[in-house]
Amino acid sequence: MIDLNISGIIPKNMENRGKLVLNDNLKNIEDIFNHRVIPKQAMSDEEIELFLKLLSLMDTDKDPKSIRIGEREARTSSNIHNRLVSGFCHGVGRSGNLIDPQPKAPGASVMYSLTNSILTSFLKKLGLNVSAIATPIATGMSISLCLSALRKKYGCNTVIYPYAAHKSPIKAVSFSGLKMRLVETVLSEDGESVFVPVEDIENAIKKEINKNDKYGDSNIYTTKYNINNKKEIPCVLSTLTFFPPRKSDDIVEIAKICEEYNIPHIINGAYAIQNQYYIDRLKKAFKYRVDAVISSSDKNLLTPIGGGIIYSKDKEFINEISKTYPGRACATPIVNTLVSLLSIGLNNYKELMKQQKESRKLLHDLLVELANNTNNKVLNIDSPLSICITTNSDPVEIAGKLYNLRITGPRGVRSSDKFGNCYLGNFPYDYVVMNAAIGIKNKDIINAVDKLKYSMAKNKNIMSGEKNGNNYCNSIR
């Protein structure tokens, strides 16, 4: 990859030996440039840092002979800035398109293009035949990009949202300037989960289409809606991944309905990539109408928060989405996605998926045992990541105790909490949600359930500083 002329400096046998070592160390970097797919084996931190350094040295702010007189020349006040963005101070994209090459940043432009190629190859290896881009914004804002693209391309004016009690998607709709029609959840027959019936979603679609049909077509409910007539039309924002007791939307049936009525369909799959259960549902949904799926880089690829992943079977629509981003973007979230893909590698990621599945089973078994011993129950909800256990004492207080015991993540919800339960009226149970997401360790699950057992104890004063409570806390830390 790099032809260094060191002839005559050291003995020939030493020169050949040194070049052999150098070339082996550069081989993985060379493979990334040549093949542009996720490596099977993880790359070392040293290899990744060298790779990023080589690319960042291509940007114009690294040119020692450059005369920089623009208003934006990647001038920084501290070397800390350079380290935080891995040297890509010019960022990525141009004012008109997130994925457009940036003249002042050849290296960053190559880095971003490679990231998207590697990300696409990664999803294909997991079984999703899609095109993908990494976004420099998290899930909620990435949803906004998709909705803005739908508004521009199809004239969408209303988002039909099967209600999930999550502020980010709701704010994303508002941020995009679209109206929202909520479709409320209902309680399942066994009383242990809430969901949005597919027929209610279809009825909401019909009502929106009928409202926007100025010609009053009497067959509007039974015929496909023609988006080419330039009328304002609705779109659907469904939810694949969410906390129990809210079940996942039936994205396959929704995709069929959206195909029938010819309206756009966006899926919020925030943590969908890490589990085969979600991937299989996406594969089935992609056979029908799915315009794009949004996932989180931190939830799936173990990056710091701040990046998103948007993928679709329609490569041209991905390009349309990138055009909705105003201005350039910070390179750091993109670099974080690239670093994770290279540092984990395909084989290790599949192993992490396997471990996540095993950890979820361990969490289930421990919570069932705890429920049996405390006259509670584990709710019957089909989630490959999260589990609900009912509680006979205040779940919010229990979650607070867990937080004070250094357990982050569990969520306590009272039966009367409409927002938390996504349900009109009281839910039958107070409950605590616990998760087994990718990257979790079995020892952490064991310790968390042990402290949950303590937090569910009947002594309400145990956390007030009493001696027996402090001794117990120390014994289980």
Side-chain angles (χ1 to χ4, degrees):
M1 181 179 178
I2 299 178
D3 187 15
L4 299 177
N5 183 12
I6 57 174
S7 179
I9 299 177
I10 55 177
K12 190 65 177 179
N13 65 318
M14 294 174 61
E15 176 187 333
N16 292 337
R17 186 69 173 84
K19 285 185 175 180
L20 178 66
V21 175
L22 178 61
N23 288 334
D24 278 352
N25 278 309
L26 294 175
K27 184 179 184 304
N28 284 336
I29 296 176
E30 190 172 16
D31 285 344
I32 293 298
F33 283 117
N34 289 337
H35 303 299
R36 304 169 192 183
V37 298
I38 185 170
K40 289 184 178 180
Q41 304 299 331
M43 291 175 62
S44 68
D45 289 349
E46 291 79 10
E47 289 172 324
I48 296 172
E49 286 174 350
L50 178 58
F51 174 57
L52 296 175
K53 187 66 175 179
L54 289 171
L55 288 173
S56 67
L57 284 173
M58 296 171 64
D59 288 355
T60 59
D61 59 301
K62 309 302 188 303
D63 181 0
K65 296 182 180 179
S66 176
I67 300 173
R68 298 183 287 162
I69 59 172
E71 85 291 349
R72 180 183 289 157
E73 293 288 0
R75 304 180 183 97
T76 56
S77 64
S78 169
N79 284 330
I80 295 175
H81 294 308
N82 288 276
R83 293 197 297 271
L84 289 173
V85 297
S86 301
F88 300 107
C89 298
H90 274 295
V92 296
R94 301 191 72 178
S95 59
N97 192 338
L98 184 61
I99 60 176
D100 271 359
Q102 170 56 239
K104 292 182 181 179
S109 300
V110 171
M111 180 275 296
Y112 192 17
S113 181
L114 282 173
T115 299
N116 293 334
S117 295
I118 293 169
L119 181 59
T120 296
S121 76
F122 168 65
L123 294 174
K124 287 182 184 296
K125 292 292 185 181
L126 294 182
L128 295 171
N129 187 23
V130 294
S131 296
I133 58 170
T135 62
I137 46 181
T139 309
M141 290 300 290
S142 294
I143 291 174
S144 288
L145 290 186
C146 294
L147 294 176
S148 296
L150 291 182
R151 184 178 187 180
K152 179 181 178 182
K153 184 173 183 178
Y154 297 119
C156 295
N157 65 330
T158 300
V159 177
I160 295 171
Y161 184 51
Y163 182 57
H166 192 190
K167 293 180 181 179
S168 291
I170 295 173
K171 289 184 176 181
V173 174
S174 174
F175 188 82
S176 303
L178 280 75
K179 295 177 288 185
M180 175 179 284
R181 176 188 280 270
L182 291 177
V183 187
E184 290 287 0
T185 57
V186 300
L187 189 65
S188 62
E189 289 186 6
D190 62 8
E192 296 188 11
S193 64
V194 294
F195 70 103
V196 179
V198 172
E199 54 269 25
D200 290 355
I201 298 171
E202 183 173 11
N203 285 335
I205 292 172
K206 292 176 180 178
K207 290 177 181 178
E208 283 299 321
I209 290 175
N210 190 50
K211 183 174 67 176
N212 290 324
D213 181 45
K214 59 186 177 183
Y215 300 106
D217 187 349
S218 60
N219 294 321
I220 196 69
Y221 289 171
T222 58
T223 60
K224 289 186 178 181
Y225 191 59
N226 181 14
I227 60 174
N228 295 320
N229 62 13
K230 304 300 182 182
K231 300 175 191 174
E232 291 184 331
I233 65 168
C235 62
V236 177
L237 173 58
S238 63
T239 303
L240 175 59
T241 57
F242 198 67
F243 296 107
R246 170 65 156 84
K247 296 174 66 175
S248 297
D249 286 331
D250 190 341
I251 61 169
V252 179
E253 291 302 314
I254 294 172
K256 290 179 181 179
I257 292 170
C258 289
E259 182 173 78
E260 177 184 355
Y261 291 94
N262 203 12
I263 66 169
H265 178 203
I266 300 294
I267 298 175
N268 179 4
Y271 39 92
I273 296 172
Q274 62 182 276
N275 190 278
Q276 194 62 44
Y277 171 84
Y278 291 133
I279 292 173
D280 288 342
R281 293 185 69 178
L282 285 172
K283 287 167 66 176
K284 292 178 181 178
F286 271 124
K287 295 178 181 178
Y288 307 100
R289 182 68 186 261
V290 176
D291 292 74
V293 183
I294 302 93
S295 296
S296 166
S297 62
D298 66 278
K299 290 182 175 70
N300 296 282
L301 296 178
L302 310 180
T303 70
I305 287 176
I309 302 167
I310 301 176
Y311 43 107
S312 172
K313 291 179 68 176
D314 186 349
K315 189 173 183 178
E316 289 304 314
F317 186 59
I318 289 289
N319 188 55
E320 289 295 320
I321 293 170
S322 77
K323 291 179 181 179
T324 64
Y325 188 93
R328 294 192 211 176
C330 176
T332 301
I334 308 298
V335 173
N336 286 336
T337 296
L338 176 60
V339 168
S340 282
L341 290 167
L342 298 180
S343 64
I344 298 174
L346 182 62
N347 290 348
N348 282 348
Y349 194 84
K350 288 184 176 179
E351 183 61 29
L352 284 172
M353 292 175 71
K354 179 182 176 182
Q355 293 173 5
Q356 184 275 317
K357 188 175 181 180
E358 293 171 353
S359 295
R360 167 60 169 75
K361 184 179 185 305
L362 173 63
L363 177 61
H364 176 269
D365 292 345
L366 292 176
L367 289 181
V368 167
E369 180 182 1
L370 175 58
N372 291 338
N373 292 335
T374 57
N375 196 29
N376 283 292
K377 65 188 302 183
V378 170
L379 298 182
N380 179 29
I381 300 161
D382 194 12
S383 169
L385 269 65
S386 306
I387 301 176
C388 277
I389 181 172
T390 65
T391 174
N392 297 321
S393 52
D394 187 351
V396 176
E397 183 180 339
I398 289 173
K401 290 179 179 180
L402 289 172
Y403 181 80
N404 289 332
L405 290 169
R406 298 179 173 178
I407 304 295
T408 58
R411 171 180 300 186
V413 182
R414 299 184 180 108
S415 63
S416 58
D417 184 353
K418 175 187 172 184
F419 189 78
N421 292 316
C422 315
Y423 179 63
L424 290 175
N426 284 351
F427 189 69
Y429 305 99
D430 293 323
Y431 61 89
V432 174
V433 183
M434 298 191 76
N435 306 286
I438 195 166
I440 197 168
K441 306 296 183 184
N442 284 349
K443 65 177 182 179
D444 293 331
I445 289 177
I446 294 170
N447 286 335
V449 175
D450 191 36
K451 293 187 180 184
L452 175 63
K453 186 187 307 180
Y454 158 64
S455 299
M456 291 173 68
K458 292 182 178 179
N459 185 355
K460 303 296 184 182
N461 297 319
I462 201 166
M463 294 299 295
S464 63
E466 292 183 5
K467 184 176 180 180
N468 62 337
N470 290 332
N471 288 340
Y472 188 88
C473 291
N474 291 330
S475 69
I476 60 176
R477 283 176 181 167

